[in-house]
Amino acid sequence: MTSPTTPSPTSASRSHTWVLWLMVMVLFSAVVALVAIMLNVRSGAGLADATLSGGTAFGATMVGCLTAVAAIKELRRLR
């Protein structure tokens, strides 16, 4: 009978780091979305329009953050 393999400490550490960075990206995107909503409401747009632009801002910021992470990983791999 073989013993189950346990993940190496480095892979577990990378997993926790990735979760932490993902949470930071989500929170940053949420702040950008809230600012977009507040600016739209302040400019006289309806709540539905402001929410739609906030969702767009959240999505665009999240895509930008994930793209930056992928670019950094690729640049580090090329070193």
Side-chain angles (χ1 to χ4, degrees):
M1 189 162 155
T2 61
S3 64
T5 59
T6 58
S8 65
T10 57
S11 67
S13 175
R14 287 182 187 158
S15 174
H16 292 308
T17 303
W18 173 245
V19 170
L20 180 64
W21 276 112
L22 191 60
M23 289 173 50
V24 168
M25 288 186 278
V26 168
L27 287 174
F28 177 68
S29 298
V31 167
V32 170
L34 288 173
V35 168
I37 289 171
M38 288 188 295
L39 288 173
N40 277 324
V41 168
R42 188 103 167 134
S43 70
L47 188 59
D49 291 333
T51 305
L52 183 61
S53 69
T56 303
F58 178 86
T61 305
M62 202 59 196
V63 166
C65 288
L66 292 173
T67 302
V69 168
I72 290 169
K73 281 186 175 183
E74 186 64 25
L75 289 173
R76 284 187 177 176
R77 189 182 67 81
L78 293 175
R79 273 179 138 181

